[in-house]
Amino acid sequence: MLAAMLAATGCESSGSGSRTDARSTPSASAAPAVIRLPPKAWPADVVLSQDGTLWAAESSLAAIAQIAPSGKVTQHPLPRDGGFAPRPSDLVPSPDGGIWYAAGDQLGHLSRSGKFTWWGDGGEVGNGPGAGPDVPGFPDALTLGPDDTVWYEHSAAGDKVFSRVDLKHGPTQITRLDTQFSVVAMTEGPDGAVWFTQSEEYDAKQREGIGRLTSDGKYRKWPLPANSSPGALVAGPDRALWFTDSAGISRIDTDGDLTRYPVRNATYLGDIVVGTDTSLWFTADHRIGRLTTEGRMTLWPVPDAEDLGALVPLEDGSFWLADRKADVLRRFTPPQ
């Protein structure tokens, strides 16, 4: 049963205490503090490979930027055979050092050397194994699954479909649900299943929820309160899932118990990740926030920031932040 309760509200203050590295996080220390992308790039997502390479989904340019640790930017326009421009929205680091991406009706992999392997709908079927009409089905969200393949969700003939993909076999279906809803974010949970934020479920009393899918295709949904707007999602250090919500951060454990942490004066919550200190870090408008698993929240304004979205933690405690309106990536170190 879903138990919802309001917890401590966020307070804006300067952080204190030491930070310890709890996991191996790649660094990009040689890059400048601000990396400028082309005008109107709109960096919708940013990820970091283990070798320190940054990748940015330039949604409005139908391209992916590859940024070396030195700060050198290489542009990779997405492949297309005519039709609408594919607009990348979600990136996942690949174990081979490249990335996987979702871009409209296109699903693909980009290697470190710049090679695309991709699948598309309709006349743009792509060059990947198993490519054909309607194969990716407009993927919205991606994650590295428990079997080291990339899991994604898409639609097919009015149903919600979850599939996996790798470079050897191409896409294969995991399960097909007789319903429709939108998926914003996916992540592997502490229990080995894939969890995701879902919204706008067709003909459901509670349209927003948190979904769970096992490797054998078993699906379960935990409905959220009516005023919820679930977005970015991450598996926390406490065996729970944490996600951005309407004007706050929410936590749901694997039994479905919900705790909500309001963020003061927040118009839009962007991304959420686990930092090297095992706290939850998130973006809110022009600020970056830290939330401990005990519920203590701290917020810092980021100088010159306009509209922060994706963030990437680095091993030294700093972060790369995607500033979408400014078309830049900003490196920011919160005060100690």
Side-chain angles (χ1 to χ4, degrees), residues 270-320:
D271 198 6
I272 184 168
V273 299
V274 177
T276 55
D277 60 350
T278 69
S279 294
L280 287 306
W281 292 80
F282 59 92
T283 50
D285 304 318
H286 65 286
R287 298 173 295 171
I288 184 172
R290 176 180 183 262
L291 176 62
T292 68
T293 54
E294 293 78 26
R296 182 186 176 191
M297 186 180 295
T298 311
L299 290 157
W300 295 270
V302 176
D304 301 320
E306 297 182 38
D307 178 25
L308 299 176
L311 75 162
V312 175
L314 301 175
E315 60 186 4
D316 63 358
S318 65
F319 294 86
W320 280 111

mmCIF file of all heavy atoms in Angstrom, residues 270-320:
data_model
loop_
_atom_site.group_PDB
_atom_site.id
_atom_site.type_symbol
_atom_site.label_atom_id
_atom_site.label_comp_id
_atom_site.label_asym_id
_atom_site.label_seq_id
_atom_site.Cartn_x
_atom_site.Cartn_y
_atom_site.Cartn_z
ATOM 1 N N GLY A 270 14.997 19.576 -12.434
ATOM 2 C CA GLY A 270 15.605 19.014 -13.634
ATOM 3 C C GLY A 270 16.007 17.569 -13.493
ATOM 4 O O GLY A 270 15.272 16.659 -13.865
ATOM 5 N N ASP A 271 17.177 17.313 -12.936
ATOM 6 C CA ASP A 271 17.748 15.973 -12.878
ATOM 7 C C ASP A 271 18.064 15.626 -11.430
ATOM 8 O O ASP A 271 18.094 16.500 -10.555
ATOM 9 C CB ASP A 271 19.014 15.926 -13.737
ATOM 10 C CG ASP A 271 19.431 14.511 -14.099
ATOM 11 O OD1 ASP A 271 18.687 13.561 -13.784
ATOM 12 O OD2 ASP A 271 20.520 14.357 -14.697
ATOM 13 N N ILE A 272 18.330 14.352 -11.158
ATOM 14 C CA ILE A 272 18.726 13.910 -9.827
ATOM 15 C C ILE A 272 19.729 12.770 -9.973
ATOM 16 O O ILE A 272 19.547 11.878 -10.812
ATOM 17 C CB ILE A 272 17.501 13.479 -8.977
ATOM 18 C CG1 ILE A 272 17.930 13.106 -7.547
ATOM 19 C CG2 ILE A 272 16.725 12.353 -9.644
ATOM 20 C CD1 ILE A 272 16.752 12.956 -6.595
ATOM 21 N N VAL A 273 20.807 12.825 -9.177
ATOM 22 C CA VAL A 273 21.857 11.805 -9.215
ATOM 23 C C VAL A 273 22.325 11.547 -7.785
ATOM 24 O O VAL A 273 22.011 12.298 -6.861
ATOM 25 C CB VAL A 273 23.067 12.246 -10.077
ATOM 26 C CG1 VAL A 273 22.656 12.486 -11.521
ATOM 27 C CG2 VAL A 273 23.733 13.486 -9.487
ATOM 28 N N VAL A 274 23.110 10.488 -7.619
ATOM 29 C CA VAL A 274 23.784 10.222 -6.351
ATOM 30 C C VAL A 274 25.202 10.758 -6.460
ATOM 31 O O VAL A 274 25.927 10.434 -7.402
ATOM 32 C CB VAL A 274 23.799 8.716 -6.032
ATOM 33 C CG1 VAL A 274 24.572 8.461 -4.733
ATOM 34 C CG2 VAL A 274 22.376 8.186 -5.913
ATOM 35 N N GLY A 275 25.593 11.596 -5.501
ATOM 36 C CA GLY A 275 26.926 12.167 -5.517
ATOM 37 C C GLY A 275 27.952 11.254 -4.880
ATOM 38 O O GLY A 275 27.634 10.180 -4.341
ATOM 39 N N THR A 276 29.209 11.677 -4.916
ATOM 40 C CA THR A 276 30.274 10.870 -4.329
ATOM 41 C C THR A 276 30.179 10.794 -2.810
ATOM 42 O O THR A 276 30.816 9.950 -2.189
ATOM 43 C CB THR A 276 31.649 11.438 -4.714
ATOM 44 O OG1 THR A 276 31.713 12.817 -4.337
ATOM 45 C CG2 THR A 276 31.875 11.317 -6.210
ATOM 46 N N ASP A 277 29.368 11.680 -2.208
ATOM 47 C CA ASP A 277 29.156 11.655 -0.763
ATOM 48 C C ASP A 277 27.942 10.814 -0.375
ATOM 49 O O ASP A 277 27.534 10.820 0.785
ATOM 50 C CB ASP A 277 28.985 13.077 -0.234
ATOM 51 C CG ASP A 277 27.787 13.789 -0.863
ATOM 52 O OD1 ASP A 277 27.212 13.244 -1.832
ATOM 53 O OD2 ASP A 277 27.437 14.885 -0.396
ATOM 54 N N THR A 278 27.348 10.111 -1.340
ATOM 55 C CA THR A 278 26.153 9.268 -1.190
ATOM 56 C C THR A 278 24.907 10.064 -0.843
ATOM 57 O O THR A 278 23.899 9.483 -0.434
ATOM 58 C CB THR A 278 26.351 8.121 -0.159
ATOM 59 O OG1 THR A 278 26.437 8.659 1.157
ATOM 60 C CG2 THR A 278 27.586 7.298 -0.488
ATOM 61 N N SER A 279 24.923 11.371 -1.032
ATOM 62 C CA SER A 279 23.708 12.174 -0.927
ATOM 63 C C SER A 279 23.051 12.273 -2.303
ATOM 64 O O SER A 279 23.660 11.944 -3.324
ATOM 65 C CB SER A 279 24.025 13.571 -0.400
ATOM 66 O OG SER A 279 24.487 13.534 0.927
ATOM 67 N N LEU A 280 21.809 12.752 -2.317
ATOM 68 C CA LEU A 280 21.107 12.984 -3.575
ATOM 69 C C LEU A 280 21.351 14.427 -3.993
ATOM 70 O O LEU A 280 21.212 15.347 -3.184
ATOM 71 C CB LEU A 280 19.605 12.733 -3.407
ATOM 72 C CG LEU A 280 19.116 11.284 -3.267
ATOM 73 C CD1 LEU A 280 19.606 10.428 -4.430
ATOM 74 C CD2 LEU A 280 19.472 10.663 -1.944
ATOM 75 N N TRP A 281 21.701 14.629 -5.256
ATOM 76 C CA TRP A 281 21.952 15.954 -5.798
ATOM 77 C C TRP A 281 20.993 16.189 -6.953
ATOM 78 O O TRP A 281 20.711 15.282 -7.737
ATOM 79 C CB TRP A 281 23.396 16.082 -6.275
ATOM 80 C CG TRP A 281 24.381 16.060 -5.144
ATOM 81 C CD1 TRP A 281 24.862 14.980 -4.469
ATOM 82 C CD2 TRP A 281 25.006 17.206 -4.541
ATOM 83 N NE1 TRP A 281 25.740 15.371 -3.484
ATOM 84 C CE2 TRP A 281 25.857 16.717 -3.506
ATOM 85 C CE3 TRP A 281 24.944 18.582 -4.784
ATOM 86 C CZ2 TRP A 281 26.622 17.581 -2.721
ATOM 87 C CZ3 TRP A 281 25.711 19.426 -3.998
ATOM 88 C CH2 TRP A 281 26.535 18.932 -2.981
ATOM 89 N N PHE A 282 20.502 17.426 -7.076
ATOM 90 C CA PHE A 282 19.483 17.710 -8.083
ATOM 91 C C PHE A 282 19.623 19.146 -8.573
ATOM 92 O O PHE A 282 20.273 19.988 -7.934
ATOM 93 C CB PHE A 282 18.085 17.468 -7.513
ATOM 94 C CG PHE A 282 17.754 18.304 -6.299
ATOM 95 C CD1 PHE A 282 17.127 19.542 -6.424
ATOM 96 C CD2 PHE A 282 18.077 17.853 -5.025
ATOM 97 C CE1 PHE A 282 16.839 20.312 -5.311
ATOM 98 C CE2 PHE A 282 17.780 18.616 -3.896
ATOM 99 C CZ PHE A 282 17.162 19.851 -4.039
ATOM 100 N N THR A 283 19.011 19.425 -9.714
ATOM 101 C CA THR A 283 18.958 20.785 -10.250
ATOM 102 C C THR A 283 17.545 21.320 -10.125
ATOM 103 O O THR A 283 16.560 20.591 -10.312
ATOM 104 C CB THR A 283 19.399 20.828 -11.721
ATOM 105 O OG1 THR A 283 18.687 19.825 -12.475
ATOM 106 C CG2 THR A 283 20.887 20.573 -11.854
ATOM 107 N N ALA A 284 17.455 22.612 -9.812
ATOM 108 C CA ALA A 284 16.169 23.297 -9.666
ATOM 109 C C ALA A 284 16.319 24.706 -10.214
ATOM 110 O O ALA A 284 16.918 25.569 -9.563
ATOM 111 C CB ALA A 284 15.740 23.332 -8.204
ATOM 112 N N ASP A 285 15.825 24.933 -11.423
ATOM 113 C CA ASP A 285 15.929 26.235 -12.081
ATOM 114 C C ASP A 285 17.404 26.628 -12.250
ATOM 115 O O ASP A 285 18.109 25.984 -12.987
ATOM 116 C CB ASP A 285 15.138 27.287 -11.299
ATOM 117 C CG ASP A 285 13.681 26.888 -11.127
ATOM 118 O OD1 ASP A 285 13.105 26.390 -12.105
ATOM 119 O OD2 ASP A 285 13.135 27.049 -10.020
ATOM 120 N N HIS A 286 17.882 27.640 -11.522
ATOM 121 C CA HIS A 286 19.277 28.087 -11.625
ATOM 122 C C HIS A 286 20.106 27.615 -10.431
ATOM 123 O O HIS A 286 21.213 28.107 -10.216
ATOM 124 C CB HIS A 286 19.332 29.620 -11.690
ATOM 125 C CG HIS A 286 18.849 30.285 -10.428
ATOM 126 N ND1 HIS A 286 17.518 30.349 -10.089
ATOM 127 C CD2 HIS A 286 19.526 30.881 -9.419
ATOM 128 C CE1 HIS A 286 17.394 30.968 -8.928
ATOM 129 N NE2 HIS A 286 18.593 31.303 -8.496
ATOM 130 N N ARG A 287 19.613 26.625 -9.685
ATOM 131 C CA ARG A 287 20.283 26.173 -8.467
ATOM 132 C C ARG A 287 20.617 24.685 -8.540
ATOM 133 O O ARG A 287 20.038 23.940 -9.314
ATOM 134 C CB ARG A 287 19.390 26.424 -7.240
ATOM 135 C CG ARG A 287 19.076 27.891 -6.986
ATOM 136 C CD ARG A 287 18.056 28.046 -5.869
ATOM 137 N NE ARG A 287 16.761 27.477 -6.232
ATOM 138 C CZ ARG A 287 15.742 27.325 -5.383
ATOM 139 N NH1 ARG A 287 15.880 27.683 -4.116
ATOM 140 N NH2 ARG A 287 14.604 26.812 -5.792
ATOM 141 N N ILE A 288 21.571 24.295 -7.693
ATOM 142 C CA ILE A 288 21.872 22.891 -7.473
ATOM 143 C C ILE A 288 21.571 22.587 -6.007
ATOM 144 O O ILE A 288 21.808 23.422 -5.124
ATOM 145 C CB ILE A 288 23.341 22.552 -7.828
ATOM 146 C CG1 ILE A 288 23.604 21.047 -7.682
ATOM 147 C CG2 ILE A 288 24.317 23.357 -6.995
ATOM 148 C CD1 ILE A 288 24.969 20.613 -8.190
ATOM 149 N N GLY A 289 20.998 21.423 -5.758
ATOM 150 C CA GLY A 289 20.596 21.079 -4.403
ATOM 151 C C GLY A 289 21.193 19.761 -3.940
ATOM 152 O O GLY A 289 21.523 18.894 -4.755
ATOM 153 N N ARG A 290 21.325 19.646 -2.629
ATOM 154 C CA ARG A 290 21.811 18.420 -1.991
ATOM 155 C C ARG A 290 20.786 17.988 -0.952
ATOM 156 O O ARG A 290 20.317 18.782 -0.140
ATOM 157 C CB ARG A 290 23.162 18.660 -1.329
ATOM 158 C CG ARG A 290 23.727 17.469 -0.547
ATOM 159 C CD ARG A 290 25.077 17.829 0.070
ATOM 160 N NE ARG A 290 25.697 16.708 0.769
ATOM 161 C CZ ARG A 290 25.626 16.527 2.089
ATOM 162 N NH1 ARG A 290 24.964 17.390 2.851
ATOM 163 N NH2 ARG A 290 26.216 15.481 2.642
ATOM 164 N N LEU A 291 20.434 16.709 -0.973
ATOM 165 C CA LEU A 291 19.470 16.156 -0.024
ATOM 166 C C LEU A 291 20.048 14.877 0.551
ATOM 167 O O LEU A 291 20.349 13.936 -0.186
ATOM 168 C CB LEU A 291 18.131 15.868 -0.730
ATOM 169 C CG LEU A 291 17.027 15.203 0.096
ATOM 170 C CD1 LEU A 291 16.606 16.088 1.272
ATOM 171 C CD2 LEU A 291 15.824 14.887 -0.788
ATOM 172 N N THR A 292 20.227 14.835 1.860
ATOM 173 C CA THR A 292 20.738 13.624 2.486
ATOM 174 C C THR A 292 19.604 12.617 2.645
ATOM 175 O O THR A 292 18.422 12.964 2.592
ATOM 176 C CB THR A 292 21.341 13.934 3.866
ATOM 177 O OG1 THR A 292 20.287 14.324 4.769
ATOM 178 C CG2 THR A 292 22.377 15.041 3.780
ATOM 179 N N THR A 293 19.945 11.368 2.856
ATOM 180 C CA THR A 293 18.923 10.343 3.053
ATOM 181 C C THR A 293 18.153 10.564 4.358
ATOM 182 O O THR A 293 17.087 9.987 4.543
ATOM 183 C CB THR A 293 19.547 8.943 3.048
ATOM 184 O OG1 THR A 293 20.607 8.893 4.013
ATOM 185 C CG2 THR A 293 20.103 8.604 1.673
ATOM 186 N N GLU A 294 18.694 11.409 5.260
ATOM 187 C CA GLU A 294 17.982 11.746 6.493
ATOM 188 C C GLU A 294 17.019 12.915 6.299
ATOM 189 O O GLU A 294 16.273 13.271 7.217
ATOM 190 C CB GLU A 294 18.974 12.095 7.612
ATOM 191 C CG GLU A 294 19.830 10.938 8.095
ATOM 192 C CD GLU A 294 20.978 10.641 7.138
ATOM 193 O OE1 GLU A 294 21.402 11.584 6.406
ATOM 194 O OE2 GLU A 294 21.436 9.486 7.092
ATOM 195 N N GLY A 295 17.055 13.553 5.129
ATOM 196 C CA GLY A 295 16.096 14.607 4.828
ATOM 197 C C GLY A 295 16.617 16.025 4.939
ATOM 198 O O GLY A 295 15.843 16.973 4.834
ATOM 199 N N ARG A 296 17.922 16.209 5.132
ATOM 200 C CA ARG A 296 18.465 17.559 5.210
ATOM 201 C C ARG A 296 18.760 18.069 3.801
ATOM 202 O O ARG A 296 19.463 17.420 3.029
ATOM 203 C CB ARG A 296 19.742 17.594 6.049
ATOM 204 C CG ARG A 296 20.308 19.006 6.188
ATOM 205 C CD ARG A 296 21.633 19.025 6.897
ATOM 206 N NE ARG A 296 22.188 20.379 6.933
ATOM 207 C CZ ARG A 296 23.415 20.664 7.308
ATOM 208 N NH1 ARG A 296 24.246 19.694 7.670
ATOM 209 N NH2 ARG A 296 23.831 21.914 7.316
ATOM 210 N N MET A 297 18.236 19.257 3.507
ATOM 211 C CA MET A 297 18.366 19.812 2.159
ATOM 212 C C MET A 297 19.136 21.129 2.183
ATOM 213 O O MET A 297 18.942 21.958 3.063
ATOM 214 C CB MET A 297 16.980 20.042 1.548
ATOM 215 C CG MET A 297 16.997 20.482 0.090
ATOM 216 S SD MET A 297 15.335 20.741 -0.589
ATOM 217 C CE MET A 297 14.670 19.067 -0.523
ATOM 218 N N THR A 298 20.031 21.316 1.187
ATOM 219 C CA THR A 298 20.782 22.546 1.007
ATOM 220 C C THR A 298 20.748 22.921 -0.466
ATOM 221 O O THR A 298 20.827 22.044 -1.332
ATOM 222 C CB THR A 298 22.246 22.371 1.457
ATOM 223 O OG1 THR A 298 22.282 21.775 2.750
ATOM 224 C CG2 THR A 298 22.958 23.712 1.506
ATOM 225 N N LEU A 299 20.621 24.207 -0.757
ATOM 226 C CA LEU A 299 20.560 24.691 -2.132
ATOM 227 C C LEU A 299 21.591 25.786 -2.346
ATOM 228 O O LEU A 299 21.813 26.623 -1.464
ATOM 229 C CB LEU A 299 19.156 25.238 -2.440
ATOM 230 C CG LEU A 299 18.036 24.201 -2.523
ATOM 231 C CD1 LEU A 299 16.695 24.847 -2.263
ATOM 232 C CD2 LEU A 299 18.051 23.528 -3.881
ATOM 233 N N TRP A 300 22.216 25.780 -3.531
ATOM 234 C CA TRP A 300 23.174 26.807 -3.894
ATOM 235 C C TRP A 300 22.803 27.378 -5.260
ATOM 236 O O TRP A 300 22.563 26.610 -6.207
ATOM 237 C CB TRP A 300 24.585 26.242 -4.007
ATOM 238 C CG TRP A 300 25.185 25.719 -2.744
ATOM 239 C CD1 TRP A 300 25.932 26.423 -1.833
ATOM 240 C CD2 TRP A 300 25.145 24.372 -2.275
ATOM 241 N NE1 TRP A 300 26.346 25.594 -0.813
ATOM 242 C CE2 TRP A 300 25.875 24.329 -1.057
ATOM 243 C CE3 TRP A 300 24.551 23.198 -2.748
ATOM 244 C CZ2 TRP A 300 26.028 23.159 -0.316
ATOM 245 C CZ3 TRP A 300 24.697 22.029 -2.012
ATOM 246 C CH2 TRP A 300 25.433 22.020 -0.814
ATOM 247 N N PRO A 301 22.803 28.701 -5.425
ATOM 248 C CA PRO A 301 22.665 29.271 -6.768
ATOM 249 C C PRO A 301 23.954 29.065 -7.550
ATOM 250 O O PRO A 301 25.051 29.159 -6.994
ATOM 251 C CB PRO A 301 22.399 30.751 -6.488
ATOM 252 C CG PRO A 301 23.002 31.005 -5.146
ATOM 253 C CD PRO A 301 22.876 29.723 -4.372
ATOM 254 N N VAL A 302 23.819 28.781 -8.836
ATOM 255 C CA VAL A 302 24.984 28.592 -9.704
ATOM 256 C C VAL A 302 25.206 29.885 -10.483
ATOM 257 O O VAL A 302 24.302 30.334 -11.204
ATOM 258 C CB VAL A 302 24.771 27.407 -10.668
ATOM 259 C CG1 VAL A 302 25.945 27.273 -11.627
ATOM 260 C CG2 VAL A 302 24.574 26.121 -9.879
ATOM 261 N N PRO A 303 26.363 30.527 -10.361
ATOM 262 C CA PRO A 303 26.604 31.800 -11.040
ATOM 263 C C PRO A 303 26.335 31.727 -12.541
ATOM 264 O O PRO A 303 26.758 30.784 -13.209
ATOM 265 C CB PRO A 303 28.082 32.085 -10.750
ATOM 266 C CG PRO A 303 28.358 31.356 -9.473
ATOM 267 C CD PRO A 303 27.522 30.111 -9.540
ATOM 268 N N ASP A 304 25.577 32.705 -13.038
ATOM 269 C CA ASP A 304 25.268 32.877 -14.465
ATOM 270 C C ASP A 304 24.329 31.812 -15.028
ATOM 271 O O ASP A 304 24.001 31.857 -16.225
ATOM 272 C CB ASP A 304 26.548 32.905 -15.319
ATOM 273 C CG ASP A 304 27.493 34.024 -14.915
ATOM 274 O OD1 ASP A 304 27.003 35.128 -14.619
ATOM 275 O OD2 ASP A 304 28.710 33.779 -14.885
ATOM 276 N N ALA A 305 23.884 30.855 -14.227
ATOM 277 C CA ALA A 305 23.016 29.793 -14.741
ATOM 278 C C ALA A 305 21.636 30.345 -15.091
ATOM 279 O O ALA A 305 21.116 31.240 -14.419
ATOM 280 C CB ALA A 305 22.894 28.668 -13.723
ATOM 281 N N GLU A 306 21.040 29.796 -16.143
ATOM 282 C CA GLU A 306 19.719 30.215 -16.582
ATOM 283 C C GLU A 306 18.672 29.123 -16.396
ATOM 284 O O GLU A 306 17.604 29.355 -15.844
ATOM 285 C CB GLU A 306 19.768 30.648 -18.049
ATOM 286 C CG GLU A 306 20.661 31.856 -18.310
ATOM 287 C CD GLU A 306 20.633 32.271 -19.766
ATOM 288 O OE1 GLU A 306 19.545 32.210 -20.381
ATOM 289 O OE2 GLU A 306 21.692 32.629 -20.309
ATOM 290 N N ASP A 307 18.970 27.919 -16.874
ATOM 291 C CA ASP A 307 17.977 26.833 -16.828
ATOM 292 C C ASP A 307 18.737 25.508 -16.761
ATOM 293 O O ASP A 307 19.075 24.936 -17.794
ATOM 294 C CB ASP A 307 17.076 26.898 -18.061
ATOM 295 C CG ASP A 307 16.056 25.779 -18.092
ATOM 296 O OD1 ASP A 307 15.707 25.258 -17.013
ATOM 297 O OD2 ASP A 307 15.602 25.414 -19.201
ATOM 298 N N LEU A 308 18.971 25.010 -15.562
ATOM 299 C CA LEU A 308 19.788 23.813 -15.373
ATOM 300 C C LEU A 308 18.956 22.545 -15.514
ATOM 301 O O LEU A 308 17.846 22.447 -14.979
ATOM 302 C CB LEU A 308 20.461 23.848 -14.002
ATOM 303 C CG LEU A 308 21.411 25.019 -13.764
ATOM 304 C CD1 LEU A 308 21.943 24.994 -12.343
ATOM 305 C CD2 LEU A 308 22.569 24.984 -14.766
ATOM 306 N N GLY A 309 19.531 21.582 -16.218
ATOM 307 C CA GLY A 309 18.867 20.292 -16.398
ATOM 308 C C GLY A 309 19.736 19.164 -15.886
ATOM 309 O O GLY A 309 19.890 18.972 -14.684
ATOM 310 N N ALA A 310 20.349 18.414 -16.801
ATOM 311 C CA ALA A 310 21.139 17.243 -16.427
ATOM 312 C C ALA A 310 22.365 17.642 -15.620
ATOM 313 O O ALA A 310 22.944 18.720 -15.817
ATOM 314 C CB ALA A 310 21.563 16.491 -17.685
ATOM 315 N N LEU A 311 22.770 16.763 -14.708
ATOM 316 C CA LEU A 311 24.001 16.968 -13.953
ATOM 317 C C LEU A 311 24.753 15.657 -13.827
ATOM 318 O O LEU A 311 24.152 14.584 -13.798
ATOM 319 C CB LEU A 311 23.730 17.576 -12.576
ATOM 320 C CG LEU A 311 23.149 16.733 -11.452
ATOM 321 C CD1 LEU A 311 23.394 17.427 -10.113
ATOM 322 C CD2 LEU A 311 21.656 16.518 -11.640
ATOM 323 N N VAL A 312 26.083 15.772 -13.761
ATOM 324 C CA VAL A 312 26.966 14.613 -13.701
ATOM 325 C C VAL A 312 27.940 14.807 -12.549
ATOM 326 O O VAL A 312 28.655 15.810 -12.504
ATOM 327 C CB VAL A 312 27.757 14.443 -15.018
ATOM 328 C CG1 VAL A 312 28.770 13.318 -14.904
ATOM 329 C CG2 VAL A 312 26.812 14.182 -16.184
ATOM 330 N N PRO A 313 28.008 13.871 -11.589
ATOM 331 C CA PRO A 313 28.955 14.018 -10.472
ATOM 332 C C PRO A 313 30.363 13.603 -10.879
ATOM 333 O O PRO A 313 30.555 12.692 -11.683
ATOM 334 C CB PRO A 313 28.385 13.061 -9.422
ATOM 335 C CG PRO A 313 27.692 11.995 -10.214
ATOM 336 C CD PRO A 313 27.154 12.674 -11.447
ATOM 337 N N LEU A 314 31.355 14.285 -10.311
ATOM 338 C CA LEU A 314 32.757 13.971 -10.540
ATOM 339 C C LEU A 314 33.406 13.546 -9.232
ATOM 340 O O LEU A 314 32.914 13.862 -8.145
ATOM 341 C CB LEU A 314 33.492 15.173 -11.130
ATOM 342 C CG LEU A 314 32.942 15.702 -12.458
ATOM 343 C CD1 LEU A 314 33.680 16.960 -12.882
ATOM 344 C CD2 LEU A 314 33.020 14.641 -13.542
ATOM 345 N N GLU A 315 34.523 12.847 -9.338
ATOM 346 C CA GLU A 315 35.136 12.233 -8.159
ATOM 347 C C GLU A 315 35.656 13.258 -7.149
ATOM 348 O O GLU A 315 35.835 12.937 -5.974
ATOM 349 C CB GLU A 315 36.267 11.307 -8.585
ATOM 350 C CG GLU A 315 37.389 11.988 -9.344
ATOM 351 C CD GLU A 315 38.422 11.000 -9.872
ATOM 352 O OE1 GLU A 315 38.228 9.785 -9.723
ATOM 353 O OE2 GLU A 315 39.425 11.479 -10.426
ATOM 354 N N ASP A 316 35.892 14.505 -7.580
ATOM 355 C CA ASP A 316 36.385 15.523 -6.657
ATOM 356 C C ASP A 316 35.263 16.291 -5.966
ATOM 357 O O ASP A 316 35.523 17.267 -5.256
ATOM 358 C CB ASP A 316 37.320 16.501 -7.377
ATOM 359 C CG ASP A 316 36.608 17.280 -8.484
ATOM 360 O OD1 ASP A 316 35.404 17.031 -8.723
ATOM 361 O OD2 ASP A 316 37.255 18.140 -9.113
ATOM 362 N N GLY A 317 34.012 15.862 -6.167
ATOM 363 C CA GLY A 317 32.883 16.519 -5.527
ATOM 364 C C GLY A 317 32.242 17.615 -6.355
ATOM 365 O O GLY A 317 31.251 18.210 -5.927
ATOM 366 N N SER A 318 32.794 17.911 -7.532
ATOM 367 C CA SER A 318 32.187 18.910 -8.407
ATOM 368 C C SER A 318 31.185 18.237 -9.345
ATOM 369 O O SER A 318 31.026 17.006 -9.346
ATOM 370 C CB SER A 318 33.267 19.652 -9.206
ATOM 371 O OG SER A 318 33.937 18.762 -10.085
ATOM 372 N N PHE A 319 30.527 19.040 -10.165
ATOM 373 C CA PHE A 319 29.489 18.544 -11.075
ATOM 374 C C PHE A 319 29.594 19.253 -12.413
ATOM 375 O O PHE A 319 29.946 20.435 -12.489
ATOM 376 C CB PHE A 319 28.087 18.811 -10.500
ATOM 377 C CG PHE A 319 27.777 18.053 -9.249
ATOM 378 C CD1 PHE A 319 28.148 18.565 -8.012
ATOM 379 C CD2 PHE A 319 27.126 16.829 -9.294
ATOM 380 C CE1 PHE A 319 27.875 17.867 -6.841
ATOM 381 C CE2 PHE A 319 26.850 16.128 -8.133
ATOM 382 C CZ PHE A 319 27.225 16.648 -6.907
ATOM 383 N N TRP A 320 29.263 18.511 -13.466
ATOM 384 C CA TRP A 320 28.958 19.133 -14.744
ATOM 385 C C TRP A 320 27.453 19.353 -14.807
ATOM 386 O O TRP A 320 26.669 18.447 -14.498
ATOM 387 C CB TRP A 320 29.399 18.262 -15.912
ATOM 388 C CG TRP A 320 30.858 18.349 -16.222
ATOM 389 C CD1 TRP A 320 31.805 17.381 -16.037
ATOM 390 C CD2 TRP A 320 31.544 19.469 -16.784
ATOM 391 N NE1 TRP A 320 33.041 17.824 -16.439
ATOM 392 C CE2 TRP A 320 32.911 19.110 -16.907
ATOM 393 C CE3 TRP A 320 31.155 20.759 -17.192
ATOM 394 C CZ2 TRP A 320 33.870 19.980 -17.427
ATOM 395 C CZ3 TRP A 320 32.113 21.625 -17.700
ATOM 396 C CH2 TRP A 320 33.446 21.229 -17.813
#
